[in-house]
PDB file of all heavy atoms in Angstrom:
ATOM      1  N   PRO E  28       0.810  -1.184  -0.009  1.00  0.00           N
ATOM      2  CA  PRO E  28       0.041  -0.023  -0.006  1.00  0.00           C
ATOM      3  C   PRO E  28       0.904   1.234  -0.022  1.00  0.00           C
ATOM      4  O   PRO E  28       1.895   1.306   0.667  1.00  0.00           O
ATOM      5  CB  PRO E  28      -0.764  -0.069   1.295  1.00  0.00           C
ATOM      6  CG  PRO E  28      -0.577  -1.473   1.806  1.00  0.00           C
ATOM      7  CD  PRO E  28       0.606  -2.090   1.173  1.00  0.00           C
ATOM      8  N   ASP E  29       0.436   2.277  -0.791  1.00  0.00           N
ATOM      9  CA  ASP E  29       1.175   3.521  -0.769  1.00  0.00           C
ATOM     10  C   ASP E  29       0.780   4.268   0.498  1.00  0.00           C
ATOM     11  O   ASP E  29      -0.361   4.126   1.033  1.00  0.00           O
ATOM     12  CB  ASP E  29       0.677   4.414  -2.005  1.00  0.00           C
ATOM     13  CG  ASP E  29       1.055   3.751  -3.328  1.00  0.00           C
ATOM     14  OD1 ASP E  29       2.104   3.007  -3.376  1.00  0.00           O
ATOM     15  OD2 ASP E  29       0.440   4.057  -4.304  1.00  0.00           O
ATOM     16  N   THR E  30       1.721   5.057   0.950  1.00  0.00           N
ATOM     17  CA  THR E  30       1.470   5.959   2.087  1.00  0.00           C
ATOM     18  C   THR E  30       1.926   7.368   1.664  1.00  0.00           C
ATOM     19  O   THR E  30       2.364   7.592   0.570  1.00  0.00           O
ATOM     20  CB  THR E  30       2.208   5.459   3.370  1.00  0.00           C
ATOM     21  OG1 THR E  30       3.663   5.773   3.190  1.00  0.00           O
ATOM     22  CG2 THR E  30       1.924   4.092   3.668  1.00  0.00           C
ATOM     23  N   ASP E  31       1.882   8.319   2.584  1.00  0.00           N
ATOM     24  CA  ASP E  31       2.411   9.629   2.320  1.00  0.00           C
ATOM     25  C   ASP E  31       3.839   9.625   2.111  1.00  0.00           C
ATOM     26  O   ASP E  31       4.424  10.630   1.608  1.00  0.00           O
ATOM     27  CB  ASP E  31       2.070  10.621   3.424  1.00  0.00           C
ATOM     28  CG  ASP E  31       0.604  10.989   3.439  1.00  0.00           C
ATOM     29  OD1 ASP E  31      -0.167  10.738   2.419  1.00  0.00           O
ATOM     30  OD2 ASP E  31       0.131  11.474   4.461  1.00  0.00           O
ATOM     31  N   VAL E  32       4.554   8.605   2.544  1.00  0.00           N
ATOM     32  CA  VAL E  32       6.019   8.600   2.537  1.00  0.00           C
ATOM     33  C   VAL E  32       6.639   7.347   1.882  1.00  0.00           C
ATOM     34  O   VAL E  32       7.877   7.253   1.773  1.00  0.00           O
ATOM     35  CB  VAL E  32       6.656   8.837   3.910  1.00  0.00           C
ATOM     36  CG1 VAL E  32       6.265  10.183   4.477  1.00  0.00           C
ATOM     37  CG2 VAL E  32       6.232   7.703   4.913  1.00  0.00           C
ATOM     38  N   THR E  33       5.846   6.396   1.412  1.00  0.00           N
ATOM     39  CA  THR E  33       6.454   5.252   0.750  1.00  0.00           C
ATOM     40  C   THR E  33       5.599   4.909  -0.552  1.00  0.00           C
ATOM     41  O   THR E  33       4.387   5.096  -0.607  1.00  0.00           O
ATOM     42  CB  THR E  33       6.350   3.973   1.640  1.00  0.00           C
ATOM     43  OG1 THR E  33       4.981   3.714   2.054  1.00  0.00           O
ATOM     44  CG2 THR E  33       7.224   4.213   2.888  1.00  0.00           C
ATOM     45  N   PHE E  34       6.299   4.375  -1.573  1.00  0.00           N
ATOM     46  CA  PHE E  34       5.719   4.029  -2.866  1.00  0.00           C
ATOM     47  C   PHE E  34       6.513   2.901  -3.368  1.00  0.00           C
ATOM     48  O   PHE E  34       7.808   2.943  -3.399  1.00  0.00           O
ATOM     49  CB  PHE E  34       5.793   5.230  -3.740  1.00  0.00           C
ATOM     50  CG  PHE E  34       5.361   5.044  -5.140  1.00  0.00           C
ATOM     51  CD1 PHE E  34       4.042   5.160  -5.539  1.00  0.00           C
ATOM     52  CD2 PHE E  34       6.369   4.686  -6.167  1.00  0.00           C
ATOM     53  CE1 PHE E  34       3.629   4.988  -6.849  1.00  0.00           C
ATOM     54  CE2 PHE E  34       5.974   4.544  -7.478  1.00  0.00           C
ATOM     55  CZ  PHE E  34       4.620   4.666  -7.826  1.00  0.00           C
ATOM     56  N   ALA E  35       5.869   1.875  -3.899  1.00  0.00           N
ATOM     57  CA  ALA E  35       6.606   0.716  -4.404  1.00  0.00           C
ATOM     58  C   ALA E  35       5.849   0.159  -5.644  1.00  0.00           C
ATOM     59  O   ALA E  35       4.622   0.076  -5.578  1.00  0.00           O
ATOM     60  CB  ALA E  35       6.845  -0.378  -3.393  1.00  0.00           C
ATOM     61  N   ARG E  36       6.544  -0.087  -6.712  1.00  0.00           N
ATOM     62  CA  ARG E  36       5.944  -0.639  -7.849  1.00  0.00           C
ATOM     63  C   ARG E  36       6.942  -1.593  -8.621  1.00  0.00           C
ATOM     64  O   ARG E  36       8.158  -1.585  -8.384  1.00  0.00           O
ATOM     65  CB  ARG E  36       5.589   0.410  -8.938  1.00  0.00           C
ATOM     66  CG  ARG E  36       4.507   1.418  -8.489  1.00  0.00           C
ATOM     67  CD  ARG E  36       3.157   0.654  -8.400  1.00  0.00           C
ATOM     68  NE  ARG E  36       2.047   1.626  -8.258  1.00  0.00           N
ATOM     69  CZ  ARG E  36       1.759   2.086  -7.028  1.00  0.00           C
ATOM     70  NH1 ARG E  36       2.415   1.785  -5.938  1.00  0.00           N
ATOM     71  NH2 ARG E  36       0.750   2.967  -6.920  1.00  0.00           N
ATOM     72  N   VAL E  37       6.294  -2.397  -9.503  1.00  0.00           N
ATOM     73  CA  VAL E  37       7.136  -3.176 -10.441  1.00  0.00           C
ATOM     74  C   VAL E  37       7.105  -2.513 -11.756  1.00  0.00           C
ATOM     75  O   VAL E  37       6.042  -2.172 -12.263  1.00  0.00           O
ATOM     76  CB  VAL E  37       6.562  -4.667 -10.540  1.00  0.00           C
ATOM     77  CG1 VAL E  37       7.310  -5.448 -11.513  1.00  0.00           C
ATOM     78  CG2 VAL E  37       6.611  -5.332  -9.164  1.00  0.00           C
ATOM     79  N   ALA E  38       8.265  -2.327 -12.356  1.00  0.00           N
ATOM     80  CA  ALA E  38       8.414  -1.665 -13.605  1.00  0.00           C
ATOM     81  C   ALA E  38       8.808  -2.678 -14.749  1.00  0.00           C
ATOM     82  O   ALA E  38       9.783  -3.456 -14.464  1.00  0.00           O
ATOM     83  CB  ALA E  38       9.409  -0.540 -13.601  1.00  0.00           C
ATOM     84  N   ALA E  39       8.100  -2.646 -15.806  1.00  0.00           N
ATOM     85  CA  ALA E  39       8.560  -3.389 -17.011  1.00  0.00           C
ATOM     86  C   ALA E  39       9.380  -2.493 -17.781  1.00  0.00           C
ATOM     87  O   ALA E  39       8.979  -1.411 -18.238  1.00  0.00           O
ATOM     88  CB  ALA E  39       7.329  -3.819 -17.801  1.00  0.00           C
ATOM     89  N   VAL E  40      10.674  -2.881 -17.988  1.00  0.00           N
ATOM     90  CA  VAL E  40      11.626  -2.010 -18.680  1.00  0.00           C
ATOM     91  C   VAL E  40      12.110  -2.741 -19.944  1.00  0.00           C
ATOM     92  O   VAL E  40      12.396  -3.889 -19.872  1.00  0.00           O
ATOM     93  CB  VAL E  40      12.884  -1.716 -17.716  1.00  0.00           C
ATOM     94  CG1 VAL E  40      13.844  -0.807 -18.408  1.00  0.00           C
ATOM     95  CG2 VAL E  40      12.392  -1.206 -16.404  1.00  0.00           C
ATOM     96  N   THR E  41      12.071  -1.919 -20.998  1.00  0.00           N
ATOM     97  CA  THR E  41      12.590  -2.439 -22.258  1.00  0.00           C
ATOM     98  C   THR E  41      13.786  -1.647 -22.694  1.00  0.00           C
ATOM     99  O   THR E  41      13.764  -0.436 -22.699  1.00  0.00           O
ATOM    100  CB  THR E  41      11.568  -2.305 -23.395  1.00  0.00           C
ATOM    101  OG1 THR E  41      10.375  -2.988 -22.981  1.00  0.00           O
ATOM    102  CG2 THR E  41      12.052  -2.762 -24.719  1.00  0.00           C
ATOM    103  N   LEU E  42      14.922  -2.327 -22.890  1.00  0.00           N
ATOM    104  CA  LEU E  42      16.146  -1.764 -23.343  1.00  0.00           C
ATOM    105  C   LEU E  42      16.200  -1.960 -24.889  1.00  0.00           C
ATOM    106  O   LEU E  42      16.255  -3.112 -25.291  1.00  0.00           O
ATOM    107  CB  LEU E  42      17.347  -2.274 -22.680  1.00  0.00           C
ATOM    108  CG  LEU E  42      17.397  -2.332 -21.194  1.00  0.00           C
ATOM    109  CD1 LEU E  42      18.724  -2.896 -20.590  1.00  0.00           C
ATOM    110  CD2 LEU E  42      17.147  -0.993 -20.621  1.00  0.00           C
ATOM    111  N   GLN E  43      16.202  -0.912 -25.683  1.00  0.00           N
ATOM    112  CA  GLN E  43      16.161  -1.075 -27.124  1.00  0.00           C
ATOM    113  C   GLN E  43      17.432  -0.475 -27.718  1.00  0.00           C
ATOM    114  O   GLN E  43      17.591   0.805 -27.769  1.00  0.00           O
ATOM    115  CB  GLN E  43      14.940  -0.405 -27.694  1.00  0.00           C
ATOM    116  CG  GLN E  43      14.843  -0.499 -29.162  1.00  0.00           C
ATOM    117  CD  GLN E  43      14.700  -2.051 -29.645  1.00  0.00           C
ATOM    118  OE1 GLN E  43      13.864  -2.756 -29.141  1.00  0.00           O
ATOM    119  NE2 GLN E  43      15.668  -2.476 -30.332  1.00  0.00           N
ATOM    120  N   PRO E  44      18.358  -1.331 -28.093  1.00  0.00           N
ATOM    121  CA  PRO E  44      19.558  -0.843 -28.835  1.00  0.00           C
ATOM    122  C   PRO E  44      19.108  -0.127 -30.154  1.00  0.00           C
ATOM    123  O   PRO E  44      18.139  -0.663 -30.807  1.00  0.00           O
ATOM    124  CB  PRO E  44      20.361  -2.056 -29.059  1.00  0.00           C
ATOM    125  CG  PRO E  44      19.853  -3.023 -28.054  1.00  0.00           C
ATOM    126  CD  PRO E  44      18.440  -2.738 -27.881  1.00  0.00           C
ATOM    127  N   ASP E  45      19.795   0.851 -30.581  1.00  0.00           N
ATOM    128  CA  ASP E  45      19.386   1.517 -31.892  1.00  0.00           C
ATOM    129  C   ASP E  45      20.001   0.889 -33.100  1.00  0.00           C
ATOM    130  O   ASP E  45      20.069   1.443 -34.182  1.00  0.00           O
ATOM    131  CB  ASP E  45      19.598   2.968 -31.805  1.00  0.00           C
ATOM    132  CG  ASP E  45      21.151   3.348 -31.744  1.00  0.00           C
ATOM    133  OD1 ASP E  45      21.991   2.491 -31.700  1.00  0.00           O
ATOM    134  OD2 ASP E  45      21.441   4.554 -31.620  1.00  0.00           O
ATOM    135  N   ASN E  46      20.415  -0.354 -32.964  1.00  0.00           N
ATOM    136  CA  ASN E  46      20.866  -1.208 -34.130  1.00  0.00           C
ATOM    137  C   ASN E  46      19.923  -2.297 -34.276  1.00  0.00           C
ATOM    138  O   ASN E  46      18.792  -2.259 -33.781  1.00  0.00           O
ATOM    139  CB  ASN E  46      22.303  -1.627 -33.963  1.00  0.00           C
ATOM    140  CG  ASN E  46      22.528  -2.568 -32.840  1.00  0.00           C
ATOM    141  OD1 ASN E  46      21.599  -2.909 -32.060  1.00  0.00           O
ATOM    142  ND2 ASN E  46      23.695  -3.110 -32.699  1.00  0.00           N
ATOM    143  N   ARG E  47      20.322  -3.412 -34.809  1.00  0.00           N
ATOM    144  CA  ARG E  47      19.345  -4.487 -35.056  1.00  0.00           C
ATOM    145  C   ARG E  47      19.418  -5.512 -33.866  1.00  0.00           C
ATOM    146  O   ARG E  47      18.783  -6.590 -33.969  1.00  0.00           O
ATOM    147  CB  ARG E  47      19.694  -5.216 -36.388  1.00  0.00           C
ATOM    148  CG  ARG E  47      19.386  -4.321 -37.516  1.00  0.00           C
ATOM    149  CD  ARG E  47      19.777  -5.035 -38.794  1.00  0.00           C
ATOM    150  NE  ARG E  47      19.683  -4.087 -39.892  1.00  0.00           N
ATOM    151  CZ  ARG E  47      18.829  -4.237 -40.900  1.00  0.00           C
ATOM    152  NH1 ARG E  47      18.032  -5.269 -40.923  1.00  0.00           N
ATOM    153  NH2 ARG E  47      18.824  -3.312 -41.889  1.00  0.00           N
ATOM    154  N   ASP E  48      20.119  -5.248 -32.832  1.00  0.00           N
ATOM    155  CA  ASP E  48      20.064  -6.184 -31.657  1.00  0.00           C
ATOM    156  C   ASP E  48      18.657  -6.216 -31.040  1.00  0.00           C
ATOM    157  O   ASP E  48      17.905  -5.251 -31.120  1.00  0.00           O
ATOM    158  CB  ASP E  48      20.997  -5.638 -30.505  1.00  0.00           C
ATOM    159  CG  ASP E  48      22.578  -5.846 -30.888  1.00  0.00           C
ATOM    160  OD1 ASP E  48      22.816  -6.428 -31.949  1.00  0.00           O
ATOM    161  OD2 ASP E  48      23.378  -5.424 -30.111  1.00  0.00           O
ATOM    162  N   PRO E  49      18.358  -7.446 -30.562  1.00  0.00           N
ATOM    163  CA  PRO E  49      17.002  -7.551 -29.952  1.00  0.00           C
ATOM    164  C   PRO E  49      16.855  -6.723 -28.696  1.00  0.00           C
ATOM    165  O   PRO E  49      17.832  -6.410 -28.039  1.00  0.00           O
ATOM    166  CB  PRO E  49      16.883  -9.062 -29.661  1.00  0.00           C
ATOM    167  CG  PRO E  49      18.344  -9.534 -29.586  1.00  0.00           C
ATOM    168  CD  PRO E  49      19.162  -8.616 -30.450  1.00  0.00           C
ATOM    169  N   SER E  50      15.640  -6.437 -28.400  1.00  0.00           N
ATOM    170  CA  SER E  50      15.339  -5.730 -27.087  1.00  0.00           C
ATOM    171  C   SER E  50      15.689  -6.600 -25.959  1.00  0.00           C
ATOM    172  O   SER E  50      15.627  -7.836 -26.061  1.00  0.00           O
ATOM    173  CB  SER E  50      13.873  -5.361 -27.057  1.00  0.00           C
ATOM    174  OG  SER E  50      13.503  -4.480 -28.061  1.00  0.00           O
ATOM    175  N   ILE E  51      16.052  -5.982 -24.836  1.00  0.00           N
ATOM    176  CA  ILE E  51      16.288  -6.641 -23.603  1.00  0.00           C
ATOM    177  C   ILE E  51      15.103  -6.295 -22.652  1.00  0.00           C
ATOM    178  O   ILE E  51      14.862  -5.073 -22.395  1.00  0.00           O
ATOM    179  CB  ILE E  51      17.639  -6.271 -23.019  1.00  0.00           C
ATOM    180  CG1 ILE E  51      18.695  -6.678 -24.021  1.00  0.00           C
ATOM    181  CG2 ILE E  51      17.878  -6.962 -21.648  1.00  0.00           C
ATOM    182  CD1 ILE E  51      20.089  -6.045 -23.685  1.00  0.00           C
ATOM    183  N   LEU E  52      14.440  -7.197 -22.156  1.00  0.00           N
ATOM    184  CA  LEU E  52      13.303  -6.942 -21.154  1.00  0.00           C
ATOM    185  C   LEU E  52      13.786  -7.222 -19.755  1.00  0.00           C
ATOM    186  O   LEU E  52      14.322  -8.272 -19.445  1.00  0.00           O
ATOM    187  CB  LEU E  52      12.119  -7.846 -21.500  1.00  0.00           C
ATOM    188  CG  LEU E  52      11.638  -7.770 -22.956  1.00  0.00           C
ATOM    189  CD1 LEU E  52      10.499  -8.763 -23.219  1.00  0.00           C
ATOM    190  CD2 LEU E  52      11.223  -6.360 -23.307  1.00  0.00           C
ATOM    191  N   LEU E  53      13.446  -6.257 -18.863  1.00  0.00           N
ATOM    192  CA  LEU E  53      13.782  -6.402 -17.429  1.00  0.00           C
ATOM    193  C   LEU E  53      12.525  -6.156 -16.521  1.00  0.00           C
ATOM    194  O   LEU E  53      11.700  -5.369 -16.928  1.00  0.00           O
ATOM    195  CB  LEU E  53      14.858  -5.258 -17.089  1.00  0.00           C
ATOM    196  CG  LEU E  53      16.183  -5.282 -17.853  1.00  0.00           C
ATOM    197  CD1 LEU E  53      16.935  -4.033 -17.455  1.00  0.00           C
ATOM    198  CD2 LEU E  53      16.916  -6.569 -17.566  1.00  0.00           C
ATOM    199  N   THR E  54      12.543  -6.800 -15.464  1.00  0.00           N
ATOM    200  CA  THR E  54      11.489  -6.475 -14.492  1.00  0.00           C
ATOM    201  C   THR E  54      12.342  -5.876 -13.273  1.00  0.00           C
ATOM    202  O   THR E  54      13.317  -6.412 -12.780  1.00  0.00           O
ATOM    203  CB  THR E  54      10.812  -7.766 -13.947  1.00  0.00           C
ATOM    204  OG1 THR E  54      10.203  -8.378 -15.086  1.00  0.00           O
ATOM    205  CG2 THR E  54       9.831  -7.471 -12.871  1.00  0.00           C
ATOM    206  N   VAL E  55      11.851  -4.612 -12.965  1.00  0.00           N
ATOM    207  CA  VAL E  55      12.598  -3.875 -11.922  1.00  0.00           C
ATOM    208  C   VAL E  55      11.637  -3.472 -10.824  1.00  0.00           C
ATOM    209  O   VAL E  55      10.559  -2.879 -11.056  1.00  0.00           O
ATOM    210  CB  VAL E  55      13.200  -2.545 -12.555  1.00  0.00           C
ATOM    211  CG1 VAL E  55      13.934  -1.752 -11.461  1.00  0.00           C
ATOM    212  CG2 VAL E  55      14.143  -2.961 -13.669  1.00  0.00           C
ATOM    213  N   PHE E  56      11.962  -3.863  -9.626  1.00  0.00           N
ATOM    214  CA  PHE E  56      11.302  -3.345  -8.440  1.00  0.00           C
ATOM    215  C   PHE E  56      11.835  -2.034  -8.037  1.00  0.00           C
ATOM    216  O   PHE E  56      13.018  -1.859  -7.882  1.00  0.00           O
ATOM    217  CB  PHE E  56      11.447  -4.374  -7.236  1.00  0.00           C
ATOM    218  CG  PHE E  56      10.799  -5.663  -7.558  1.00  0.00           C
ATOM    219  CD1 PHE E  56      11.450  -6.739  -8.060  1.00  0.00           C
ATOM    220  CD2 PHE E  56       9.376  -5.866  -7.287  1.00  0.00           C
ATOM    221  CE1 PHE E  56      10.863  -7.942  -8.329  1.00  0.00           C
ATOM    222  CE2 PHE E  56       8.724  -7.059  -7.609  1.00  0.00           C
ATOM    223  CZ  PHE E  56       9.485  -8.090  -8.058  1.00  0.00           C
ATOM    224  N   VAL E  57      11.013  -1.030  -7.980  1.00  0.00           N
ATOM    225  CA  VAL E  57      11.470   0.315  -7.576  1.00  0.00           C
ATOM    226  C   VAL E  57      10.654   0.847  -6.374  1.00  0.00           C
ATOM    227  O   VAL E  57       9.447   0.631  -6.396  1.00  0.00           O
ATOM    228  CB  VAL E  57      11.292   1.313  -8.866  1.00  0.00           C
ATOM    229  CG1 VAL E  57       9.860   1.361  -9.295  1.00  0.00           C
ATOM    230  CG2 VAL E  57      11.761   2.594  -8.576  1.00  0.00           C
ATOM    231  N   ARG E  58      11.394   1.406  -5.550  1.00  0.00           N
ATOM    232  CA  ARG E  58      10.744   1.991  -4.271  1.00  0.00           C
ATOM    233  C   ARG E  58      11.173   3.474  -4.209  1.00  0.00           C
ATOM    234  O   ARG E  58      12.262   3.786  -4.531  1.00  0.00           O
ATOM    235  CB  ARG E  58      11.223   1.273  -2.990  1.00  0.00           C
ATOM    236  CG  ARG E  58      10.496  -0.017  -2.859  1.00  0.00           C
ATOM    237  CD  ARG E  58      10.672  -0.627  -1.395  1.00  0.00           C
ATOM    238  NE  ARG E  58      12.138  -0.842  -1.084  1.00  0.00           N
ATOM    239  CZ  ARG E  58      12.774  -1.934  -1.361  1.00  0.00           C
ATOM    240  NH1 ARG E  58      12.255  -2.886  -2.051  1.00  0.00           N
ATOM    241  NH2 ARG E  58      14.058  -2.047  -1.015  1.00  0.00           N
ATOM    242  N   ALA E  59      10.243   4.284  -3.800  1.00  0.00           N
ATOM    243  CA  ALA E  59      10.506   5.745  -3.599  1.00  0.00           C
ATOM    244  C   ALA E  59       9.985   6.046  -2.227  1.00  0.00           C
ATOM    245  O   ALA E  59       9.041   5.523  -1.701  1.00  0.00           O
ATOM    246  CB  ALA E  59       9.772   6.548  -4.686  1.00  0.00           C
ATOM    247  N   THR E  60      10.730   7.009  -1.636  1.00  0.00           N
ATOM    248  CA  THR E  60      10.418   7.443  -0.261  1.00  0.00           C
ATOM    249  C   THR E  60      10.596   8.928  -0.123  1.00  0.00           C
ATOM    250  O   THR E  60      11.203   9.560  -0.939  1.00  0.00           O
ATOM    251  CB  THR E  60      11.275   6.747   0.778  1.00  0.00           C
ATOM    252  OG1 THR E  60      12.630   6.995   0.511  1.00  0.00           O
ATOM    253  CG2 THR E  60      10.974   5.192   0.803  1.00  0.00           C
ATOM    254  N   ARG E  61      10.101   9.459   0.954  1.00  0.00           N
ATOM    255  CA  ARG E  61      10.393  10.887   1.391  1.00  0.00           C
ATOM    256  C   ARG E  61      10.105  10.934   2.908  1.00  0.00           C
ATOM    257  O   ARG E  61       9.369  10.213   3.431  1.00  0.00           O
ATOM    258  CB  ARG E  61       9.502  11.820   0.599  1.00  0.00           C
ATOM    259  CG  ARG E  61       8.029  11.624   0.715  1.00  0.00           C
ATOM    260  CD  ARG E  61       7.289  12.550  -0.176  1.00  0.00           C
ATOM    261  NE  ARG E  61       5.816  12.391  -0.064  1.00  0.00           N
ATOM    262  CZ  ARG E  61       4.914  13.184  -0.712  1.00  0.00           C
ATOM    263  NH1 ARG E  61       5.382  14.169  -1.412  1.00  0.00           N
ATOM    264  NH2 ARG E  61       3.714  12.951  -0.538  1.00  0.00           N
ATOM    265  N   PRO E  62      10.830  11.861   3.555  1.00  0.00           N
ATOM    266  CA  PRO E  62      10.617  11.983   4.987  1.00  0.00           C
ATOM    267  C   PRO E  62       9.239  12.484   5.389  1.00  0.00           C
ATOM    268  O   PRO E  62       8.805  11.989   6.466  1.00  0.00           O
ATOM    269  CB  PRO E  62      11.687  13.026   5.398  1.00  0.00           C
ATOM    270  CG  PRO E  62      12.358  13.484   4.216  1.00  0.00           C
ATOM    271  CD  PRO E  62      11.796  12.812   2.968  1.00  0.00           C
ATOM    272  N   ASP E  63       8.553  13.315   4.633  1.00  0.00           N
ATOM    273  CA  ASP E  63       7.271  13.761   4.930  1.00  0.00           C
ATOM    274  C   ASP E  63       6.713  14.294   3.695  1.00  0.00           C
ATOM    275  O   ASP E  63       7.346  14.438   2.631  1.00  0.00           O
ATOM    276  CB  ASP E  63       7.213  14.796   6.018  1.00  0.00           C
ATOM    277  CG  ASP E  63       8.001  16.006   5.762  1.00  0.00           C
ATOM    278  OD1 ASP E  63       7.544  16.783   4.805  1.00  0.00           O
ATOM    279  OD2 ASP E  63       9.003  16.329   6.507  1.00  0.00           O
ATOM    280  N   SER E  64       5.385  14.657   3.580  1.00  0.00           N
ATOM    281  CA  SER E  64       4.630  15.035   2.402  1.00  0.00           C
ATOM    282  C   SER E  64       5.088  16.408   1.900  1.00  0.00           C
ATOM    283  O   SER E  64       4.614  16.782   0.825  1.00  0.00           O
ATOM    284  CB  SER E  64       3.188  14.994   2.636  1.00  0.00           C
ATOM    285  OG  SER E  64       2.751  15.788   3.629  1.00  0.00           O
ATOM    286  N   SER E  65       5.846  17.151   2.646  1.00  0.00           N
ATOM    287  CA  SER E  65       6.318  18.441   2.057  1.00  0.00           C
ATOM    288  C   SER E  65       7.565  18.390   1.304  1.00  0.00           C
ATOM    289  O   SER E  65       8.018  19.355   0.675  1.00  0.00           O
ATOM    290  CB  SER E  65       6.506  19.399   3.201  1.00  0.00           C
ATOM    291  OG  SER E  65       7.729  19.020   3.982  1.00  0.00           O
TER     292      SER E  65
END
């Protein structure tokens, strides 16, 4: 659950080289925080 000071999600990340190499798919867990809502 999100709170005023914590946030967590799963991100689907695609790395796309600008040549003919195939994309690389990643699953990234990301958390964000802050000491208070200000």
Side-chain angles (χ1 to χ4, degrees):
D29 294 335
T30 70
D31 286 345
V32 295
T33 62
F34 174 87
R36 292 293 187 280
V37 175
V40 181
T41 302
L42 307 182
Q43 182 60 60
D45 65 2
N46 64 356
R47 294 179 188 242
D48 285 358
S50 298
I51 300 168
L52 305 177
L53 303 173
T54 300
V55 179
F56 292 94
V57 59
R58 285 191 301 273
T60 58
R61 59 186 179 173
D63 63 64
S64 61
S65 69

